[in-house]
Amino acid sequence: MEELADEAGITMRTLRFYRERKLIHPPRREGRIAWYDETHLARLRTISALLERGHTLNGIAELAEAFDHGRNVGELLGLGAPTEETPVRLTPEALADYFGDQATPENFAASLELGYLGTDGGEIVHISRRLLDVTAALVREGIPLADVLAAGRRVREHTDALAELFTGLVITEGRTAEDLQRLRPLAKSVVEAELSMAMDRRLQAGGDRGPQGS
């Protein structure tokens, strides 16, 4: 414990307090010897970094619990990495830097449930660089992260239905999954064009209504 506390730059008293709060995992024991490893040190450094960013110990404990019970990266990626998306590896501190005080246990758990995030040892994996950047951009525009994630869940439902529709259109007698892969850019083009026109209609409808009087 003394060596671990020294490496982490904290006191033994603080380390014991973190252990009592179950902020770090118990050590591996061999007889009367307790062994701590790099995962314990990484967790302690994460706690210190999150405290410096203004997170409370209660909030950090909840984040740690969500993190420990999250899906691992193998479960997140399923049979393999996304064919067109780039997963991103993040430390908990880096995730906090992306979303600030909105990196809450509730939002973290929602992201895990949605499949945006998974865990890999001491790291967090986001399934898509594009989704991460767009989510962060929307939050910077003042949209609450919880609302962005709720919208993402609804988008997932609609895109699953669109994928099923296009799959049924393409894979008919004599066609295979290879044909579906070859023609998927056409499906993306249809969705992008329809979404663009739908946004035009929404903007036009808003303009037609004009300013509302009191």
Side-chain angles (χ1 to χ4, degrees), residues 2 8 25 30 32 46 53 58 63 68 88 96 105 116 119 126 131 134 147 153 155 157 161 163 175-176 212:
E2 186 175 355
H25 297 299
E30 292 183 3
R32 299 180 63 183
T46 293
R53 288 161 171 78
N58 284 337
L63 280 172
D68 291 338
V88 184
Y116 282 178
T119 60
H126 196 290
L131 281 175
V134 169
D147 292 347
R153 187 173 290 104
V155 169
E157 294 171 357
R175 291 187 180 274
T176 66
Q212 300 294 315

Side-chain angles (χ1 to χ4, degrees), residues 106-186:
E106 294 79 13
N107 286 335
F108 187 76
S111 298
L112 287 167
E113 181 185 356
L114 188 56
Y116 282 178
L117 296 179
T119 60
D120 185 15
E123 290 183 311
I124 298 168
V125 179
H126 196 290
I127 193 68
S128 166
R129 163 69 70 182
R130 285 198 295 180
L131 281 175
L132 175 62
D133 290 343
V134 169
T135 301
L138 290 170
V139 170
R140 287 195 298 271
E141 289 291 331
I143 302 174
L145 179 56
D147 292 347
V148 176
L149 294 174
R153 187 173 290 104
R154 295 185 62 189
V155 169
R156 174 73 57 80
E157 294 171 357
H158 290 299
T159 51
D160 279 345
L162 289 169
E164 184 176 356
L165 175 65
F166 191 76
T167 300
L169 179 67
V170 170
I171 299 185
T172 56
E173 186 175 354
R175 291 187 180 274
T176 66
E178 286 72 21
D179 294 307
L180 179 63
Q181 176 67 13
R182 178 172 55 85
L183 296 173
R184 66 186 287 172
L186 300 181

Side-chain angles (χ1 to χ4, degrees), residues 1-207:
M1 286 186 69
E2 186 175 355
E3 292 176 5
L4 179 64
D6 184 61
E7 286 288 329
I10 61 176
T11 66
M12 285 281 291
R13 181 179 179 181
T14 298
L15 178 53
R16 289 193 181 97
F17 176 71
Y18 289 166
R19 280 194 56 182
E20 291 170 1
R21 293 289 302 272
K22 298 183 179 179
L23 289 170
I24 64 172
H25 297 299
R28 176 175 59 86
R29 291 194 173 275
E30 292 183 3
R32 299 180 63 183
I33 301 176
W35 293 99
Y36 293 91
D37 57 27
E38 289 297 323
T39 61
H40 294 95
L41 182 58
R43 175 62 63 86
L44 290 173
R45 288 173 173 166
T46 293
I47 293 169
S48 296
L50 293 176
L51 286 172
E52 290 176 1
R53 288 161 171 78
H55 289 257
T56 66
L57 277 178
N58 284 337
I60 293 171
E62 292 174 353
L63 280 172
E65 183 178 4
F67 184 84
D68 291 338
H69 291 87
R71 287 186 290 174
N72 64 39
V73 66
E75 294 172 317
L76 177 68
L77 297 177
L79 297 177
T83 56
E84 296 184 352
E85 299 302 312
T86 303
V88 184
R89 292 180 175 272
L90 301 161
T91 62
E93 305 97 294
L95 187 66
D97 287 339
Y98 262 97
F99 299 110
D101 60 1
Q102 296 197 51
T104 63
E106 294 79 13
N107 286 335
F108 187 76
S111 298
L112 287 167
E113 181 185 356
L114 188 56
Y116 282 178
L117 296 179
T119 60
D120 185 15
E123 290 183 311
I124 298 168
V125 179
H126 196 290
I127 193 68
S128 166
R129 163 69 70 182
R130 285 198 295 180
L131 281 175
L132 175 62
D133 290 343
V134 169
T135 301
L138 290 170
V139 170
R140 287 195 298 271
E141 289 291 331
I143 302 174
L145 179 56
D147 292 347
V148 176
L149 294 174
R153 187 173 290 104
R154 295 185 62 189
V155 169
R156 174 73 57 80
E157 294 171 357
H158 290 299
T159 51
D160 279 345
L162 289 169
E164 184 176 356
L165 175 65
F166 191 76
T167 300
L169 179 67
V170 170
I171 299 185
T172 56
E173 186 175 354
R175 291 187 180 274
T176 66
E178 286 72 21
D179 294 307
L180 179 63
Q181 176 67 13
R182 178 172 55 85
L183 296 173
R184 66 186 287 172
L186 300 181
K188 290 173 59 179
S189 295
V190 170
V191 172
E192 289 173 1
E194 286 288 358
L195 178 59
S196 178
M197 291 187 291
M199 292 296 293
D200 287 342
R201 291 192 292 272
R202 298 289 296 183
L203 290 169
Q204 183 62 43

